């Protein structure tokens, strides 16, 4: 604790892996930190020159590590953890900023972008496309609040997936086959292909990517005879037209369809990897994104950009809650269909002069709408009470949520001297939200009929976020920086509102709750030394989080709502080192030490939410470390070989707050998400155009309860996929 208090504002950056298309010559110094160009500041910069905590993985790094989706991505990035109780519902946690490990009706604290468009819904975040990471340019993870340049949902940070642009200068293609077998006999099949075709030399090109996944599961539902098998397919098609050196037009369509047969959670009481759910808990996800990006460069003035995106998604949420009514019958929650559509428009100007004064400014607008059919039913309920109940349902409603966000932002920097630079930015925003249920029907057990209610709740907010940073470069290989930044998450509306009909003196549920915000204080150093053979980045941070949005329950009538309650902090250290100590040997190490907890909570809010002062923030790990080692050597002819090991240790975390919401009673479902280790190993052979790899994932067959809901639901634990052996063959031309 004294270490954190003494370092009450330090930050850092991680850059794991190797960025070359093929293994670098064994005598080449490690230069990956400077080779990766990122756009975290909305202008192209070397990763080591960014005055903030940014991690980036290039396409080659993703391939070498076998990273195919969000689940594979998170363990090796400092400060980033992932809770994914079911496929297609990732809940990210950056620097411990979260109040729920499984998601809530609030906006997520981490925003996810594909290129220039956010893809996460504001309500319940059921829409979170988990794009398959084949033939992407890079993935960037921006740690700490990013409210100025990336807007809402960036309390803890932002994750960006940047797809590859068509290349009008060359014809190229790639194909990859990945086959694996998981202990127990589950077969994994992954197929990928890419083709880039120039149509007009240096002016017009098309790039097409397609992929197919068919992966047998390892969790068996003994009630339904199903498994957590998954079939995914999708692809991207992009057309780039560059009529001149200063103008480009890019149109891109991305589609992905994921259909898990059942969920990944299981019930230890029934046996290892065994589920007994009365309904398939798999979450299907289908999304399509259309984007048109126009860029024009005014030499010596600015680069102008317009990005227009339209996204449609379809999903559903299915959950066996268990014998909630105490009558021996399962309570089943069904939210299907769950359909969303987003429209996003951003225009931006980025200066491109040689002046010491540089600037970025832009306008941003997003319009989201989600339609949900929500049903709670109890099979056998009608027969139990001797009354006809359609579909054995006791709660049926259609929900429509809408949110609009309009923002203007600007970010400037000034090079005070050759070594010293100052920068600052601000974003003003206005949000409008609504929640409507035109026909909520609740079963009246006395009459056997349904009581009906309808309502529309609305909310509106406006505010300002900002950032400031000072950086100093004593030499070409060292960057020191200090920064402070603010992030926010939009306020929304409650499904229930008004006074209690049972106890008028109880809390009046507000129609809307306010945004919450974080302020991040950070110090960091980035350095390269030993003739480029070592890069080391260190950062420390302190985050102050106020007006925290927490799930609550009114005591008198047990109605759910979200309240702004209390204050919390998170602070820690992050260290990332990459080294080539001898020719052919590449090493990396990334470490996170942090703590995050509740500082203040009003007694009434504590009762309603179950939050207790001193509680750890759910999902916030205290320690995480990952490392890799790769040795490359020459074989006969034009072949090279390498062996590689990637290992991670992720510390334990709490699954929720101490008490049950609406009581002062310790929660019977409070539990720890267990610490776990994941070790992957591979051996590869490369030559011109070919890469052949044999690998093993989860080498130690770790089966820790990485998500443990403490028996809240019958299927309440998740583990890593068991040990899996496989091979990949990649051909590029």
């Amino acid at each position: 604790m004294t270490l954190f208090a003494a370092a009450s504002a330090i930050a850092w950056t991680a850059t794991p892996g190797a960025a070359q298309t093929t293994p670098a010559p064994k005598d080449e110094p490690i230069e990956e930190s400077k080779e990766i160009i990122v756009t975290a500041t909305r202008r192209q910069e070397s990763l080591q020159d960014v005055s903030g905590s940014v991690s980036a993985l290039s396409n080659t790094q993703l391939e070498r590590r076998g990273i195919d989706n969000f689940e594979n991505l998170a363990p090796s990035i400092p400060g980033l953890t992932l809770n994914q109780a079911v496929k297609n519902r990732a809940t990210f946690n950056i620097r411990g900023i979260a109040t729920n490990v499984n998601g809530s009706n609030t906006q997520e604290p981490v925003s996810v972008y594909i290129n220039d468009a956010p893809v996460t819904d504001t309500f319940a975040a059921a829409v979170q496309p988990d794009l398959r990471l084949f033939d992407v340019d890079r993935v960037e993870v921006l740690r700490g609040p990013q409210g100025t340049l990336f807007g809402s949902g960036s309390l803890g940070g932002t994750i960006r997936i940047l797809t590859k642009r068509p290349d009008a200068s060359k014809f190229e293609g790639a194909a990859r086959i990945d086959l694996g077998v998981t202990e127990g006999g589950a077969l994994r099949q992954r197929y990928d292909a890419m083709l880039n075709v120039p149509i007009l030399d240096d002016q017009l090109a098309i790039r097409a990517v397609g992929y197919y996944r068919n992966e047998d599961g390892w969790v068996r539902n003994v009630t339904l005879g199903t498994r957590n098998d998954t079939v995914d397919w999708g692809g991207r098609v992009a057309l780039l037209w560059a009529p001149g050196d200063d103008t480009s037009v890019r149109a891109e369509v991305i589609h992905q369809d994921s259909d898990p047969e059942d969920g990944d959670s299981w019930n230890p009481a029934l046996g290892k990897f065994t589920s007994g759910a009365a309904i398939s808990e798999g979450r299907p996800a289908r999304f399509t994104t259309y984007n048109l990006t126009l860029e024009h460069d005014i030499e010596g003035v600015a680069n102008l950009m317009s990005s227009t995106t339209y996204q449609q998604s379809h999903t559903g949420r299915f959950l066996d809650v268990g014998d909630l009514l105490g009558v021996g019958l399962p309570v089943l929650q069904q939210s299907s269909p769950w359909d969303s559509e987003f429209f996003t428009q951003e225009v931006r100007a980025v200066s491109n002069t040689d002046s010491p004064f540089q600037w970025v400014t832009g306008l941003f607008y997003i319009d989201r709408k989600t339609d949900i059919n929500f049903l709670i039913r109890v099979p056998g309920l009608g027969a139990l009470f001797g009354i006809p109940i359609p579909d054995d349902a006791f709660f049926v409603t259609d929900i429509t949520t809408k949110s609009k966000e309009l923002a203007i932002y600007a970010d400037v920097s000034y090079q005070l001297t050759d070594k010293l630079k100052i920068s600052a930015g601000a974003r003003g925003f206005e949000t409008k939200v609504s929640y409507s249920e035109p026909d909520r029907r609740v079963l009246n057990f006395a009459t056997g009929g349904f009581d009906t209610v309808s309502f529309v709740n609305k909310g509106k907010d406006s505010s300002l976020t900002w950032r400031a940073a000072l950086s100093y470069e004593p030499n070409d290989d060292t960057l020191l920086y200090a920064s402070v930044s603010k992030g926010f998450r939009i306020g929304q509306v409650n499904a229930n509102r008004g006074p209690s009909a049972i106890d008028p003196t109880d809390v009046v549920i507000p129609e809307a709750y306010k945004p919450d915000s974080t302020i991040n204080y950070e110090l960091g150093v980035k350095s390269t030394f030993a003739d480029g053979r070592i890069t080391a980045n260190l950062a420390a941070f302190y985050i102050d989080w106020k007006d925290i949005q927490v799930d609550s329950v009114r005591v008198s009538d047990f109605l759910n709502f979200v309240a702004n309650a209390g204050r919390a902090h998170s602070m820690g250290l992050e260290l990332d080192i990459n080294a080539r100590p001898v020719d052919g040997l590449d090493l990396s190490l990334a470490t996170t030490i942090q703590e995050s907890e509740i500082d203040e909570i009003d007694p009434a809010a504590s009762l309603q939410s179950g939050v207790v002062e001193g509680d750890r923030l759910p999902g916030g790990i205290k320690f995480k470390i990952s490392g890799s080692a790769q040795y490359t050597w020459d074989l006969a002819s034009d072949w090279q070989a390498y062996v590689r090991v990637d290992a991670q240790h992720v510390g334990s975390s709490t699954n929720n707050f101490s008490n049950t919401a609406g009581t002062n009673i310790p929660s019977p479902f409070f539990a720890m998400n267990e610490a776990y280790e994941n070790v992957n190993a591979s051996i590869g052979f490369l030559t011109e155009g070919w890469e052949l790899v044999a690998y093993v994932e989860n080498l130690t067959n770790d089966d820790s309860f990485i998500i443990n809901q403490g028996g809240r639901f019958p299927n309440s634990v998740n583990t890593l996929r068991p040990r899996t052996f496989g091979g990949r063959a990649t051909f590029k031309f």
Side-chain angles (χ1 to χ4, degrees):
M1 195 60 144
T2 52
L3 173 64
F4 294 141
S8 64
I10 321 179
W12 67 289
T13 299
T15 349
Q20 299 83 5
T21 303
T22 58
K26 291 184 294 183
D27 58 349
E28 180 180 303
I30 184 169
E31 292 287 350
E32 62 194 24
S33 299
K34 293 185 178 180
E35 289 173 354
I36 298 181
I37 302 299
V38 298
T39 52
T41 60
R42 296 303 196 183
R43 64 171 68 247
Q44 291 191 346
E45 288 186 285
S46 165
L47 187 59
Q48 287 296 92
D49 292 337
V50 177
S51 301
S53 295
V54 181
S55 297
L57 292 176
S58 69
N59 185 63
T60 299
Q61 291 171 316
L62 296 169
E63 291 179 346
R64 196 60 44 82
R65 293 166 179 263
I67 294 175
D68 187 60
N69 52 32
F70 287 155
E71 185 178 11
N72 305 137
L73 173 70
S76 61
I77 302 295
L80 174 67
T81 55
L82 171 71
N83 293 286
Q84 185 167 256
V86 61
K87 291 184 181 71
N88 300 317
R89 180 56 179 98
T91 302
F92 287 107
N93 183 314
I94 295 180
R95 292 183 168 176
I97 300 299
T99 57
N100 194 300
V101 298
N102 297 312
S104 169
N105 287 345
T106 60
Q107 188 179 21
E108 290 289 274
V110 174
S111 57
V112 178
Y113 276 66
I114 296 178
N115 296 319
D116 284 305
V119 295
T120 305
D121 201 357
T122 53
F123 178 76
V127 180
Q128 180 103 286
D130 188 358
L131 188 69
R132 298 297 170 260
L133 302 176
F134 174 74
D135 194 56
V136 300
D137 186 72
R138 64 189 182 279
V139 176
E140 297 178 3
V141 179
L142 289 61
R143 299 191 300 281
Q146 306 294 325
T148 299
L149 293 178
F150 293 95
S152 68
S154 59
L155 283 174
T158 297
I159 297 172
R160 305 179 67 210
I161 300 172
L162 289 308
T163 61
K164 282 193 173 183
R165 297 163 60 97
D167 188 343
S169 67
K170 60 183 178 180
F171 179 84
E172 62 177 335
R176 181 174 67 184
I177 297 176
D178 185 332
L179 301 177
V181 178
T182 298
E183 288 204 0
L187 177 64
R188 177 164 74 189
Q189 304 174 67
R190 296 174 175 174
Y191 306 96
D192 306 284
M194 178 276 293
L195 189 64
N196 182 90
V197 181
I199 301 173
L200 293 175
D201 286 347
D202 297 323
Q203 288 192 26
L204 184 65
I206 188 169
R207 191 179 193 95
V209 174
Y211 47 86
Y212 176 78
R213 307 281 185 270
N214 190 337
E215 306 192 24
D216 293 343
W218 65 96
V219 175
R220 179 170 293 279
N221 185 326
V222 293
T223 301
L224 302 178
T226 55
R227 292 189 308 187
N228 60 329
D229 300 345
T230 303
V231 175
D232 300 345
W233 65 272
R236 308 186 295 277
V237 177
L239 182 70
L240 178 67
W241 178 43
D245 293 338
D246 55 1
T247 303
S248 69
V249 180
R250 186 178 80 231
E252 184 171 39
V253 179
I254 302 173
H255 178 82
Q256 184 165 292
D257 195 313
S258 178
D259 189 17
E261 184 182 45
D262 212 323
D264 298 337
S265 301
W266 50 279
N267 186 348
L270 297 178
K272 192 172 183 179
F273 303 145
T274 303
S275 161
I279 188 173
S280 171
E281 296 183 321
R283 178 168 292 192
R286 182 175 70 245
F287 76 94
T288 307
T289 297
Y290 307 88
N291 175 262
L292 179 66
T293 299
L294 312 176
E295 292 187 79
H296 180 68
D297 193 67
I298 304 175
E299 186 176 355
V301 180
N303 175 268
L304 308 179
M305 187 280 297
S306 169
S307 177
T308 306
T309 303
Y310 176 72
Q311 176 181 304
Q312 293 177 311
S313 64
H314 171 87
T315 186
R317 181 175 182 267
F318 309 91
L319 182 64
D320 184 341
V321 182
D323 184 17
L324 191 63
L325 302 179
V327 295
L329 300 174
V331 176
L332 308 180
Q333 291 184 6
Q334 298 176 220
S335 302
S336 178
W338 187 308
D339 294 331
S340 297
E341 57 181 0
F342 302 172
F343 172 79
T344 307
Q345 176 64 55
E346 182 170 11
V347 292
R348 184 169 65 240
V350 181
S351 63
N352 62 2
T353 68
D354 293 329
S355 167
F357 177 73
Q358 299 291 329
W359 49 268
V360 177
T361 186
L363 290 169
F364 175 85
Y365 174 76
I366 186 167
D367 187 345
R368 303 176 175 98
K369 179 184 177 183
T370 299
D371 293 308
I372 308 164
N373 176 255
F374 182 67
L375 167 69
I376 301 178
R377 65 185 185 92
V378 181
L381 184 65
L384 179 68
F385 286 93
I387 55 178
I389 301 176
D391 297 323
D392 284 320
F394 70 87
F395 186 97
V396 183
T397 189
D398 291 311
I399 301 169
T400 297
T401 70
K402 298 178 181 179
S403 67
K404 296 181 180 181
E405 182 181 334
L406 177 65
I408 182 172
Y409 62 87
D411 196 82
V412 299
S413 65
Y414 188 77
Q415 196 75 42
L416 297 170
T417 70
D418 290 342
K419 300 180 182 296
L420 188 64
K421 182 170 73 173
I422 188 171
S423 61
R427 184 186 191 99
F429 67 91
E430 179 181 81
T431 59
K432 295 180 180 179
V433 294
S434 69
Y435 178 104
S436 65
E437 292 187 41
D439 187 24
R440 178 194 285 186
R441 289 162 288 162
V442 183
L443 179 66
N444 186 318
F445 286 95
T447 65
F450 285 88
D451 297 331
T452 302
V453 64
S454 63
F455 59 90
V456 177
N457 294 346
K458 296 181 179 181
K460 181 179 179 180
D461 275 299
S462 61
S463 190
L464 182 76
T465 61
W466 45 265
R467 77 167 199 97
L470 182 68
S471 62
Y472 177 69
E473 293 186 79
N475 54 60
D476 292 340
D477 295 325
T478 305
L479 173 71
L480 307 172
Y481 70 89
S483 69
V484 56
S485 60
K486 183 178 181 180
F488 76 100
R489 161 170 69 168
I490 70 170
Q492 297 188 85
V493 292
N494 285 304
N496 303 301
R497 65 166 173 166
S500 169
I502 297 175
D503 181 3
T505 66
D506 203 347
V507 61
V508 177
I509 297 177
E511 182 174 5
Y513 52 92
K514 300 185 300 182
D516 53 357
S517 62
T518 51
I519 297 180
N520 179 70
Y521 304 92
E522 187 167 319
L523 296 173
V525 56
K526 300 181 178 183
S527 57
T528 303
F529 48 94
D531 295 327
R533 287 183 175 269
I534 301 174
T535 63
N537 300 321
L538 172 68
F541 63 89
Y542 182 92
I543 299 177
D544 182 16
W545 187 5
K546 68 177 184 178
D547 295 325
I548 302 173
Q549 298 172 5
V550 293
D551 294 317
S552 303
V553 174
R554 185 159 59 191
V555 177
S556 60
D557 54 12
F558 298 103
L559 289 182
N560 298 306
F561 66 104
V562 175
N564 295 99
R567 198 167 190 148
H569 78 271
S570 177
M571 57 185 176
L573 298 170
E574 299 166 331
L575 171 67
D576 175 62
I577 300 174
N578 292 276
R580 176 168 285 179
V582 298
D583 293 346
L585 178 62
D586 292 304
L587 305 174
S588 74
L589 178 70
T591 304
T592 302
I593 303 172
Q594 67 182 24
E595 65 141 35
S596 53
E597 64 179 40
I598 297 291
D599 295 327
E600 300 173 9
I601 186 75
D602 178 83
S606 177
L607 173 63
Q608 296 151 12
S609 64
V611 179
V612 177
E613 188 173 315
D615 271 352
R616 287 175 62 179
L617 294 180
I621 55 97
K622 290 188 175 182
F623 179 69
K624 174 183 172 182
I625 186 169
S626 63
S628 68
Q630 178 176 305
Y631 183 69
T632 306
W633 69 96
D634 293 327
L635 296 174
S637 186
D638 296 326
W639 285 84
Q640 284 186 316
Y642 68 86
V643 291
R644 182 180 180 92
V645 176
D646 294 275
Q648 302 101 27
H649 167 84
V650 178
S652 62
S653 63
T654 57
N655 72 341
N656 215 320
F657 294 112
S658 296
N659 289 347
T660 300
T663 75
N664 283 319
I665 302 172
S667 172
F669 307 121
F670 180 85
M672 299 298 294
N673 302 316
E674 296 178 346
Y676 68 92
E677 288 78 37
N678 187 26
V679 180
N680 300 329
S682 60
I683 180 169
F685 303 91
L686 300 95
T687 189
E688 184 70 26
W690 282 95
E691 180 171 2
L692 306 175
V693 181
Y695 64 82
V696 56
E697 297 176 352
N698 192 9
L699 178 64
T700 62
N701 211 22
D702 190 296
D703 59 0
S704 304
F705 293 171
I706 61 175
I707 297 179
N708 183 358
Q709 300 185 61
R712 183 181 302 272
F713 309 116
N715 298 314
S716 60
V717 302
N718 289 72
T719 53
L720 295 172
R721 186 183 185 99
R723 184 187 294 119
T724 299
F725 295 91
R728 284 190 297 273
T730 304
F731 174 64
K732 297 181 180 181
F733 58 91

